[in-house]
């Protein structure tokens, strides 16, 4: 057995089994395995550190800086290949008449919201990030404005049965041409969200983007 020991202690064990008359591990092989176990421990530690930096600890979603960084790559790809891309800004707040979803009468468990968003979106395709202040940003590659509306409606339906929440969403689709930039796209989605919020209670989803594709 070769322990995988890192700065935080032993994080795993590399176990090898030999058989036959010459059972056992030669000294030179033993040295290689010890070096491999040490390198593996460092790699695992770095991966855990990376996850801790790019993931919000409460929701398990990307932090704002990371989701905007990844969105920038998607914007460039959409412009290069003239493919659709939409961004949905989602705010989840407490509905005072509903209690089942929250951890308290006036709280919502962000981990449950993050888990629901991950399960509702396309794995390995869509992205989700936490922007702070109960606001989430969803990145939907290969999805135009109408498709974003469908996703927003589905998310509202997914959130509703869990009782609890009043959700509102605004969205924006990437514009044609090279002029669109990530900060502008995010700002349009957040502005659409604020317009929905100002519309008052009862508005759950949405806001078509007049410049969307």
């Amino acid at each position: 057995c070769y322990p995988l020991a890192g700065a935080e202690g032993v994080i795993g064990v590399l176990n090898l089994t030999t058989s036959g008359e010459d059972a056992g591990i030669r000294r030179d092989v033993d040295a290689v395995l010890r070096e491999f176990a040490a390198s593996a421990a460092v790699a695992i530690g770095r991966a855990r550190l990376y996850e801790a930096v790019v993931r919000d600890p409460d929701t398990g979603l990307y932090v704002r800086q990371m989701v905007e960084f990844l969105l920038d790559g998607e914007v460039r790809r959409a412009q290069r290949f003239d493919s659709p891309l939409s961004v949905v800004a989602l705010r989840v707040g407490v509905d005072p008449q509903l209690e089942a979803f929250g951890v308290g009468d006036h709280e919502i468990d962000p981990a449950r919201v993050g888990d629901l968003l991950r399960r509702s979106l396309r794995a390995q395709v869509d992205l989700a990030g936490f922007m702070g202040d109960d606001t989430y940003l969803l990145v939907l590659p290969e999805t135009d404005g109408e498709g974003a509306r469908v996703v927003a409606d589905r998310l509202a339906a997914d959130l509703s049965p869990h009782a609890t929440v009043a959700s509102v969403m605004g969205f924006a689709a990437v514009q044609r041409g090279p002029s669109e930039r990530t900060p502008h796209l995010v700002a349009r989605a957040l502005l659409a969200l604020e317009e929905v919020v100002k519309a008052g209670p009862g508005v759950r989803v949405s806001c078509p983007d007049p410049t969307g594709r």
Side-chain angles (χ1 to χ4, degrees), residues 72 81 93 180 210:
D72 189 62
F81 295 104
E180 182 80 298

PDB file of all heavy atoms in Angstrom, residues 72 81 93 180 210:
ATOM      1  N   ASP A  72     -17.385  33.850 -21.974  1.00  0.00           N
ATOM      2  CA  ASP A  72     -16.620  34.584 -22.983  1.00  0.00           C
ATOM      3  C   ASP A  72     -16.168  33.648 -24.106  1.00  0.00           C
ATOM      4  O   ASP A  72     -16.232  33.996 -25.287  1.00  0.00           O
ATOM      5  CB  ASP A  72     -15.409  35.245 -22.332  1.00  0.00           C
ATOM      6  CG  ASP A  72     -14.705  36.200 -23.272  1.00  0.00           C
ATOM      7  OD1 ASP A  72     -15.328  37.192 -23.705  1.00  0.00           O
ATOM      8  OD2 ASP A  72     -13.523  35.954 -23.611  1.00  0.00           O
ATOM      9  N   PHE A  81     -18.871  30.795 -35.459  1.00  0.00           N
ATOM     10  CA  PHE A  81     -19.634  29.840 -36.257  1.00  0.00           C
ATOM     11  C   PHE A  81     -21.064  30.306 -36.527  1.00  0.00           C
ATOM     12  O   PHE A  81     -21.864  29.541 -37.071  1.00  0.00           O
ATOM     13  CB  PHE A  81     -19.659  28.482 -35.536  1.00  0.00           C
ATOM     14  CG  PHE A  81     -18.302  27.848 -35.410  1.00  0.00           C
ATOM     15  CD1 PHE A  81     -17.623  27.863 -34.194  1.00  0.00           C
ATOM     16  CD2 PHE A  81     -17.688  27.258 -36.495  1.00  0.00           C
ATOM     17  CE1 PHE A  81     -16.371  27.287 -34.068  1.00  0.00           C
ATOM     18  CE2 PHE A  81     -16.435  26.680 -36.388  1.00  0.00           C
ATOM     19  CZ  PHE A  81     -15.773  26.696 -35.172  1.00  0.00           C
ATOM     20  N   GLY A  93     -36.345  33.633  -4.936  1.00  0.00           N
ATOM     21  CA  GLY A  93     -36.627  34.259  -3.652  1.00  0.00           C
ATOM     22  C   GLY A  93     -37.695  33.507  -2.905  1.00  0.00           C
ATOM     23  O   GLY A  93     -38.396  32.659  -3.455  1.00  0.00           O
ATOM     24  N   GLU A 180     -20.887  42.126 -30.130  1.00  0.00           N
ATOM     25  CA  GLU A 180     -21.346  41.647 -28.828  1.00  0.00           C
ATOM     26  C   GLU A 180     -20.169  41.216 -27.961  1.00  0.00           C
ATOM     27  O   GLU A 180     -19.285  40.503 -28.412  1.00  0.00           O
ATOM     28  CB  GLU A 180     -22.310  40.470 -29.014  1.00  0.00           C
ATOM     29  CG  GLU A 180     -22.887  39.936 -27.705  1.00  0.00           C
ATOM     30  CD  GLU A 180     -24.040  40.766 -27.182  1.00  0.00           C
ATOM     31  OE1 GLU A 180     -23.820  41.949 -26.885  1.00  0.00           O
ATOM     32  OE2 GLU A 180     -25.156  40.235 -27.110  1.00  0.00           O
ATOM     33  N   PRO A 210     -35.569  41.939 -27.281  1.00  0.00           N
ATOM     34  CA  PRO A 210     -35.929  42.449 -28.609  1.00  0.00           C
ATOM     35  C   PRO A 210     -34.813  42.351 -29.621  1.00  0.00           C
ATOM     36  O   PRO A 210     -35.039  42.385 -30.821  1.00  0.00           O
ATOM     37  CB  PRO A 210     -36.264  43.927 -28.325  1.00  0.00           C
ATOM     38  CG  PRO A 210     -35.561  44.252 -27.057  1.00  0.00           C
ATOM     39  CD  PRO A 210     -35.552  42.977 -26.275  1.00  0.00           C
TER      40      PRO A 210
END
